[in-house]
Amino acid sequence: MRVHWHRRLIAGVALAATASLGAAQGPPSPADVAKAVRGYRAAHEQPIIQELVDLLAIPNIASDEPNIRRNADRLRAMLERRGFGVHFFEIPKRGPIIFAELAAPGAAKTVVFYAHYDGQPTDSKAWTGTGPFEPVLRTDSIEAGGTLRPFPGAGTPFRDDWRIYARSASDDKSPIVALVAAIDALAATGIPRAVNLKLVLDSEEENGSPGLEPALAANRDLVAGDVLITGDGPVHPSGRPLVFYGNRGVLDFNLTVYGPVRGLHSGHYGNWAPNPAMRLAQLLASMKDASGRVLIDGFYADVAPLTARERAAVDALPQNDAELMRELQFGEPDGGGRKLAELNIRGLRSAYVGDESQNVVPDRAQASCDIRLVKNIDPDRQIARVLAHVGKQGYFVVRDREPTPEERRSHPRVARVDYGGGYPATRTSMDLPVSAAVARVLDEALGGAVVKAPTLGGSVPMHLFDRLGLPVIGVPIVNYDNSQHSHNENLRLGHFWRGIETYAALIAALQW
C-alpha cells in the first residue's frame, strides 16, 4: 500500500510532550529528546516507512549505473527537502559520492555522518517469496515464522517485531532514512540541533569504495569536522545498542589451482591426473590449524595490542555465544570461541555438484577468500605473506593472469592469485572526550544498556577519514540478525524506531 503524503518542516511547532524543552531552560537531556522524538514518530510512522520503502524499491547494485543514479537523485531530493546543501562528486561509470551540509545556528561542533547507499549483489532465486527490490512487510523474521502482511494504513501502528524485507533494508538505507526522520522530528518538536551536520553517502562501499579517496581529496572542506559517525553495521548480537570505536580492515583474494588443461574421465584418469579440487582443499587446510589459528608465517607479526581500556571493554562485552550457536544451529565455534576468524573462505568452486555432478577430474579449482585486518596490519604486506605461503607449499605462483602452457608443463603445482586490494583497520581512542560524550548520550537516551566495543567485526573504509584527522565512532541501529550481504535481508522495525531516537539525541544533545 502506498501512503501519499507531503512533509513540511515547521520550525518552532512543539508537541505537547516537548513543551518543557524550551531554549530558556538550556539544551534538553538525551532522554527528553528520545521521549519527544518517540511521540513524533508514533504519529508519523506511515510517511516515515513510505519514504524508506520508496528508496528500497530502487535497485542499488554499484555496477548498475542507471539505478544507482536514481538512488542518488532520490537522496538529493530527500536531503534538500530538509534544508541540506547537496553536492555530487561524479565517478565515471558509477554513482556519485554524495556530500551534504546542514548548519545549526550557534553550533560550535560539526558531526560528519557516513553511510552507503549501494547494496550487495543479489540472487533473486534465493529470496523467500519476494524479490530483493520488492519491499515487503512480515509479522516477524522468516525463521520465526513471520508471514507477509500488507503495510497498514493511517491510524494503524506498526509493531516492533514486524520486519521489512529488501536489499539494503538494513545495510545501509535504513540508517539514512532514520537520520532524516530524526531531523524532521527535531524540527517538528522545536528541539534545536546542537551540532552542524555533514553527510557522506558512498555509492560503492560494497565494491571497496574505490572512488571515496579521490572524492575526499577533492572536497576536504566538505568533510571538515570534529568527529565522524558511521551508521554502518548491526547492533550487538545480544540485541543491545552498540557504540564502537573502530573497524577491521579487509583484503580480498581469489586462489586458483590448476590440474589438466581440460576435464578428464575419472575412471580413465583418476588417481593419475592431478586433481585440483583436492589440492586446493589441502592448500587451504595448510593455512589454519584445527584451533582456528592462521599458520601463514608472520601473519600476526604487526598486530597493535589493545590498550588496558580496550581490553577492559572487550572483557565487559555480553557473553551470548550459546544463544547465537543455538540460533545458527552449530555445535562448536571455530577457534574454540576465542575470536572471529581472520582468514575466511567465502566461496569454493570446482566442476559440478548435485544433480549436475559429473565423473570427471576437473581442470581447475577456485577459492574466494577474505582476510579481516586489525590495527597496524598493512594489506599489501599481508597478501605478500599469503603468496609466500602458497609458494612454500610447492606451488609456482602467477599473479592476476592465466599461466602459460609452458608454465603448466614445467611445474608440478601451479596456482594463480588475484589480489582484489584492501584497506587497513581504524581504531579511535576510547579515552577521547568525544568518545566518552557519544557513549554518554547513548546511555542516557537509551536507558544505559549500550555496549561499548573497541572494534566492529566488519569492514568499512574509515581509514580515509582517520587520515583527515577525524575520530571515527560507529553508532549502528539495525538488528544483528538482518541477513545483510545475503538473501532475505531485513530490518526489524523496533530497532529502526530506536535508531531514529538515537540519532536525534546525538544531533540535539552531543556536547564535549
Side-chain angles (χ1 to χ4, degrees):
M1 163 179 184
R2 179 175 179 81
V3 179
H4 296 281
W5 60 282
H6 297 281
R7 185 189 305 272
R8 294 184 179 181
L9 302 180
I10 307 173
V13 177
L15 298 178
T18 62
S20 64
L21 301 180
Q25 299 183 24
S29 72
D32 286 339
V33 173
K35 181 179 179 181
V37 170
R38 193 175 310 132
Y40 170 88
R41 182 267 302 171
H44 295 82
E45 288 181 352
Q46 274 74 19
I48 293 171
I49 292 297
Q50 189 63 61
E51 188 163 38
L52 175 59
V53 166
D54 288 346
L55 188 60
L56 292 173
I58 307 174
N60 66 334
I61 309 306
S63 58
D64 181 1
E65 183 183 0
N67 276 315
I68 283 288
R69 174 66 58 175
R70 289 177 59 206
N71 279 274
D73 291 341
R74 175 64 61 86
L75 288 165
R76 181 201 287 274
M78 290 167 56
L79 294 171
E80 288 180 342
R81 195 158 60 241
R82 276 81 182 189
F84 280 90
V86 180
H87 170 71
F88 281 6
F89 180 83
E90 299 292 347
I91 301 173
K93 299 182 180 180
R94 297 282 181 172
I97 305 292
I98 302 174
F99 295 94
E101 296 182 88
L102 181 65
K109 301 288 188 180
T110 297
V111 172
V112 183
F113 181 85
Y114 171 90
H116 61 90
Y117 65 94
D118 67 316
Q120 278 278 320
T122 62
D123 177 3
S124 298
K125 296 178 181 178
W127 286 65
T128 302
T130 58
F133 300 110
E134 303 169 22
V136 295
L137 187 64
R138 288 183 178 271
T139 56
D140 206 328
S141 68
I142 291 174
E143 293 76 11
T147 57
L148 292 170
R149 61 145 294 145
F151 286 91
T156 301
F158 287 77
R159 297 181 181 274
D160 284 357
D161 284 340
W162 289 355
R163 299 193 183 209
I164 295 176
Y165 277 76
R167 172 57 86 228
S168 297
S170 59
D171 184 26
D172 250 357
K173 288 183 175 180
S174 57
I176 298 171
V177 176
L179 184 72
V180 297
I183 292 169
D184 289 349
L186 294 176
T189 55
I191 302 175
R193 299 186 304 274
V195 294
N196 301 309
L197 278 176
K198 294 183 176 180
L199 272 60
V200 181
L201 303 182
D202 196 346
S203 60
E204 48 182 355
E205 190 274 341
E206 302 293 9
N207 194 40
S209 298
L212 186 57
E213 186 168 12
L216 296 178
N219 296 277
R220 294 286 293 267
D221 59 322
L222 295 180
V223 289
D226 299 288
V227 63
L228 184 134
I229 301 292
T230 173
D232 205 358
V235 301
H236 191 266
S238 65
R240 290 167 54 185
L242 172 69
V243 56
F244 62 87
Y245 296 92
N247 60 268
R248 295 197 291 183
V250 66
L251 68 84
D252 305 319
F253 69 94
N254 291 321
L255 179 60
T256 305
V257 171
Y258 294 87
V261 73
R262 63 180 182 274
L264 300 173
H265 189 294
S266 62
H268 298 321
Y269 295 98
N271 298 321
W272 179 78
N275 188 306
M278 180 62 73
R279 287 188 171 181
L280 177 63
Q282 294 166 339
L283 177 57
L284 293 171
S286 74
M287 295 182 180
K288 292 180 75 172
D289 66 18
S291 70
R293 183 172 179 81
V294 177
L295 301 175
I296 296 170
D297 288 345
F299 193 86
Y300 301 101
D302 301 325
V303 172
L306 295 175
T307 66
R309 175 74 171 270
E310 291 166 340
R311 175 56 63 189
V314 170
D315 292 341
L317 292 176
Q319 300 299 314
N320 64 317
D321 283 14
E323 291 83 357
L324 273 177
M325 289 166 58
R326 187 161 47 249
E327 175 189 337
L328 299 175
Q329 299 180 24
F330 60 83
E332 182 180 38
D334 194 22
R338 289 194 305 274
K339 65 175 89 65
L340 295 176
E342 302 95 337
L343 171 62
N344 176 55
I345 301 168
R346 58 187 186 184
L348 290 169
R349 176 184 297 163
S350 186
Y352 304 96
V353 298
D355 293 340
E356 298 178 342
S357 60
Q358 303 169 10
N359 294 333
V360 297
V361 176
D363 65 311
R364 67 184 62 198
Q366 298 172 298
S368 180
C369 305
D370 63 66
I371 296 177
R372 300 289 170 168
L373 309 175
V374 296
K375 186 69 174 176
N376 209 43
I377 298 294
D378 178 78
D380 293 338
R381 190 178 305 157
Q382 202 74 329
I383 194 65
R385 290 167 173 146
V386 173
L387 290 166
H389 179 87
V390 176
K392 288 178 181 178
Q393 310 311 304
Y395 284 87
F396 175 78
V397 181
V398 297
R399 285 283 306 272
D400 305 320
R401 65 173 178 84
E402 283 289 287
T404 66
E406 182 57 31
E407 287 169 336
R408 295 181 64 151
R409 295 188 192 103
S410 302
H411 300 279
R413 296 173 183 260
V414 178
R416 168 179 173 169
V417 175
D418 293 273
Y419 175 36
Y423 52 78
T426 302
R427 200 157 76 219
T428 294
S429 171
M430 298 179 72
D431 294 320
L432 293 179
V434 68
S435 299
V438 170
R440 182 172 60 251
V441 168
L442 297 187
D443 271 331
E444 293 181 16
L446 302 175
V450 178
V451 175
K452 290 88 173 176
T455 297
L456 181 73
S459 302
V460 193
M462 295 297 97
H463 66 290
L464 298 175
F465 297 97
D466 185 49
R467 290 176 188 171
L468 298 177
L470 281 170
V472 175
I473 300 175
V475 185
I477 64 169
V478 302
N479 44 299
Y480 76 92
D481 57 344
N482 59 52
S483 295
Q484 69 183 87
H485 289 202
S486 186
H487 56 277
N488 296 332
E489 181 177 353
N490 65 87
L491 169 70
R492 182 180 178 274
L493 291 184
H495 284 78
F496 182 56
W497 302 143
R498 185 169 63 184
I500 296 172
E501 297 171 18
T502 300
Y503 290 155
L506 286 171
I507 295 168
L510 182 60
Q511 295 181 329
W512 72 96

